[in-house]
Amino acid sequence: MNIRRWSVGVLAATLLVPGLAACNSDAAEPAAAPSPSTPADPKEALLASTKEIAKGNFTFTLVGDGTTGGGLVHKPSNSAQFTVKFGDASEDMSIEMDLIYIDSESWVKMDLGGAMFAAVPGAAKNKGKYQHLDKTKIKDVKDLQLDPETLDPLDSDALVKSVTEVQKTGEGTYTGKIDISAATESAALDEEVVTALGAQAKALPFTAKLDPQGRLTELAISVPAAGETAAHDIKIGYADYGTGAGAHKPPADKVVEAPAETYELFK
C-alpha cells in the first residue's frame, strides 16, 4: 500500500488568515506609504516575501483538493509538527496523520479509515497512538523525515519564482499568473494534477498577500478541472514569523514503537 501521495508531501489545511482579495482603499484618503522592507516592483516583492520562511520559525496552513492540514517549523528547538486529513471514511478511504519531529526523534499518529484501509495490519490496534519511528528504518523514506536544508515543507520560494505575471492590486495584495509546471517540487502541488493540466499549468491565476513587513502570509492558486480532479483552489498561509513555539513530545502513555507494517505503508 502506497500512501506517499497523501503524506507530508500533500499537507493541507483551512487557512487561519482572511481570504485573498484586493484591498479597496478610500479614494479620498492618501495612499499608504509602502513598507520600507517591501520592494516596489511586484515580482521582486514576491521573491523577497519568502526570505523570512528560510529562517525556520513559523506556522503554516494549506488547503487543497479534499485535504486539510497544517503545522509548525521551529528551527530554534530543532522541531516540527505536521498534521493532515485526507478523504472521507464513509467513502473509499480517509487518512488522518500527525507527525512530530524533535531533534533526531520522530513519531507518527495515523487514523486510516474506509474500505481501502480496512485490511491494513495494525491500523485499528494503533489508532490514537503515536508510533515512535526507528531512525535507522526511515533513512530512505522521504515522507517520514525532516530535511534540515528545506525548512519550508510547502516550498513557497519555488512557487513565487514560478510567477510569470504579477500586478499589485492594493497595499500588500497581488494577482497574476503562475507556471506551476516549473514548481513541482512544492509539496502544495500534486504532480499527477500538474501533468493532467498540460499546457494550462503554465498560466494559472493566483492571488497573494504580504504583511506590513513584506512577508508572505497568503497565496492562493486557482486550479481548473483536470483528469479525475475537480476544479479547486490551493491555499497556503503563513503566520507567527519568529514567534512560534516548538513541538512537544507526545504523552508517554500514548506512545508505542512503530511496527513493520507502518514502514511498509510509506515505501
Side-chain angles (χ1 to χ4, degrees), residues 158-205:
L159 288 172
V160 299
K161 287 178 179 176
S162 300
V163 166
T164 57
E165 299 176 23
V166 58
Q167 302 83 38
K168 186 174 181 179
T169 55
E171 209 49 58
T173 60
Y174 302 82
T175 187
K177 296 292 179 67
I178 184 172
D179 177 6
I180 62 171
S181 69
T184 53
E185 61 265 44
S186 171
L189 303 177
D190 184 330
E191 288 190 46
E192 291 182 15
V193 174
V194 175
T195 299
L197 284 169
Q200 291 185 88
K202 295 184 175 295
L204 298 186

Side-chain angles (χ1 to χ4, degrees), residues 1-8 84-99 108-129 131 144 259-267:
M1 182 70 67
N2 187 330
I3 62 172
R4 187 182 202 85
R5 181 181 174 191
W6 303 291
S7 54
V8 178
V84 63
K85 295 181 181 181
F86 178 90
D88 188 332
S90 65
E91 299 177 356
D92 287 343
M93 70 169 192
S94 67
I95 300 172
E96 294 187 26
M97 292 177 55
D98 185 5
L99 279 149
V108 60
K109 182 173 72 170
M110 296 187 293
D111 181 0
L112 308 179
M116 184 175 291
F117 293 120
V120 174
K125 177 182 177 181
N126 293 316
K127 183 176 180 180
K129 297 288 188 179
Q131 300 179 45
L144 289 178
E261 291 82 7
T262 294
Y263 302 105
E264 289 296 321
L265 279 172
F266 290 87
K267 288 185 177 179

Side-chain angles (χ1 to χ4, degrees), residues 27-238:
E29 296 179 356
S35 165
S37 59
T38 305
D41 178 79
K43 182 61 181 289
E44 291 302 317
L46 287 183
L47 291 174
S49 72
T50 62
K51 290 181 178 179
E52 192 73 16
I53 297 173
K55 296 180 180 180
N57 190 346
F58 57 88
T59 60
F60 67 92
T61 56
L62 183 148
V63 62
D65 179 35
T67 310
T68 59
L72 65 90
V73 175
H74 193 250
K75 188 176 180 180
S77 62
N78 263 344
S79 69
Q81 184 165 6
F82 309 138
T83 62
V84 63
K85 295 181 181 181
F86 178 90
D88 188 332
S90 65
E91 299 177 356
D92 287 343
M93 70 169 192
S94 67
I95 300 172
E96 294 187 26
M97 292 177 55
D98 185 5
L99 279 149
I100 299 174
Y101 304 89
I102 301 177
D103 290 324
S104 61
E105 289 195 276
S106 56
W107 301 260
V108 60
K109 182 173 72 170
M110 296 187 293
D111 181 0
L112 308 179
M116 184 175 291
F117 293 120
V120 174
K125 177 182 177 181
N126 293 316
K127 183 176 180 180
K129 297 288 188 179
Y130 283 90
Q131 300 179 45
H132 181 254
L133 300 169
D134 182 340
K135 62 183 179 181
T136 66
K137 295 180 181 180
I138 62 172
K139 60 182 180 180
D140 296 321
V141 185
K142 178 183 177 182
D143 290 339
L144 289 178
Q145 297 185 67
L146 179 65
D147 184 353
E149 300 302 319
T150 307
L151 293 175
D152 179 10
L154 305 180
D155 205 352
S156 290
D157 183 60
L159 288 172
V160 299
K161 287 178 179 176
S162 300
V163 166
T164 57
E165 299 176 23
V166 58
Q167 302 83 38
K168 186 174 181 179
T169 55
E171 209 49 58
T173 60
Y174 302 82
T175 187
K177 296 292 179 67
I178 184 172
D179 177 6
I180 62 171
S181 69
T184 53
E185 61 265 44
S186 171
L189 303 177
D190 184 330
E191 288 190 46
E192 291 182 15
V193 174
V194 175
T195 299
L197 284 169
Q200 291 185 88
K202 295 184 175 295
L204 298 186
F206 82 90
T207 54
K209 186 173 182 180
L210 313 187
D211 67 11
Q213 288 72 47
R215 303 172 298 193
L216 183 67
T217 57
E218 305 173 10
L219 176 65
I221 303 171
S222 297
V223 181
E228 299 180 357
T229 304
H232 62 282
D233 287 341
I234 296 170
K235 298 180 180 180
I236 296 170
Y238 291 96

